Every structure is written in structure tokens, then in C-alpha cells.
Amino acid sequence: MIYNSKIKEYQPIFEILLTSLVAFLVHKLAFFFLDYSTIENSFQYTLFQVYSFFLICSIFIVLILIQVKKRDINNVGNGFLLLTLLKIGIAFIFANPIVSSTSKFKEMERMDFFIVFAVFLTIETVVTIRILNNKQQN
């Protein structure tokens, strides 16, 4: 019974992993079919690096939110906002070489970076809403 509750408690992590894997594969397939694979080689960061960065950030955020929920579910929303703001700051530092790039594909790379950012922000928001909605069940 304890094992089952731990799986349910950390289910959002598995959801993030699965969703990000699907998003990454779709992104890579789009690059393949649009013949952008050679363009990706000129990017500051590969798609794998960008997805890995945001995946790590998302897992970190959700793990903290799970711990906050255990202590006081009323602070989950505030924690989400604070952690998202921190992630935005780190992402801005991470994206600075892309913004200041002189590559002829810098617009495409910026767009890819911020699309991935938006995808992970959406995933985190949905997971946070589910955590908050589980308030009635617990």
C-alpha cells in the first residue's frame, strides 16, 4: 500500500518524462522532415541540450512542489510562481548566447528555444493544476 501511494505521489515526474520525450521526438521528426538537421548543427545548443535543460528544471520544480504539498498545499501556487520565475532567470542566462549570436539561423534557434520553453511551462502548469486539484482527494 505504501509503495502504491509513493508511485501515485511521484506520478507527475513520470508524466513529465513521457510528455517531454514525445515533444522531443516530434521536434526532431519535424527537423528531419523539414530537412533542418543540418541547420541544427549550427545552433549554439542542440535540441537535446535544450530539452535536457528544461526537463531537469521541470523535474526539479515538480519535486519541490510535491514536497510543498506535503507541508501545506496552500503554498503550492506560490511555490510554482517563485520556481517558475527562477527558471525564467536561469533560462535567460542560458539563452543569452542565442540572443547575441551572429548566426544566420539565430531567429530559428531563438524560436526553437522559446517554443521548448513554452512547452515545458505548459507541462509544469498542467502538473501543478493536477497537484492542486488533488487537494480535494486527500
Side-chain angles (χ1 to χ4, degrees):
M1 185 70 177
I2 292 173
Y3 179 74
N4 194 19
S5 68
K6 285 290 185 190
I7 289 176
K8 187 175 180 179
E9 181 180 346
Y10 292 100
Q11 181 179 349
I13 301 299
F14 300 116
E15 291 171 357
I16 289 171
L17 288 169
L18 181 63
T19 308
S20 62
L21 178 64
V22 169
F24 176 73
L25 291 175
V26 167
H27 207 149
K28 282 299 260 188
L29 281 173
F31 267 44
F32 176 77
F33 286 119
L34 296 172
D35 202 26
Y36 289 163
S37 298
T38 55
I39 295 172
E40 183 187 2
N41 294 334
S42 69
F43 285 0
Q44 185 74 29
Y45 304 112
T46 64
L47 282 180
F48 181 78
Q49 290 171 321
V50 174
Y51 273 88
S52 297
F53 168 74
F54 284 114
L55 177 63
I56 290 167
C57 288
S58 292
I59 289 173
F60 178 73
I61 288 171
V62 171
L63 283 173
I64 290 176
L65 292 178
I66 289 170
Q67 296 306 313
V68 168
K69 178 187 175 190
K70 287 180 186 178
R71 293 195 177 120
D72 184 11
I73 193 153
N74 295 320
N75 288 325
V76 171
N78 292 332
F80 172 74
L81 291 173
L82 180 67
L83 292 168
T84 300
L85 184 62
L86 179 65
K87 180 181 88 166
I88 290 170
I90 295 169
F92 179 75
I93 293 168
F94 189 62
N96 197 31
I98 297 170
V99 172
S100 60
S101 172
T102 58
S103 168
K104 65 180 179 178
F105 301 112
K106 74 178 182 179
E107 292 300 321
M108 178 184 249
E109 186 174 10
R110 276 189 216 160
M111 186 176 66
D112 278 345
F113 185 86
F114 289 109
I115 286 172
V116 175
F117 175 84
V119 165
F120 276 93
L121 182 60
T122 303
I123 293 169
E124 292 163 14
T125 303
V126 168
V127 168
T128 302
I129 290 169
R130 285 187 182 165
I131 289 171
L132 289 170
N133 283 339
N134 285 337
K135 178 180 182 179
Q136 293 90 16
Q137 296 173 356
N138 294 335

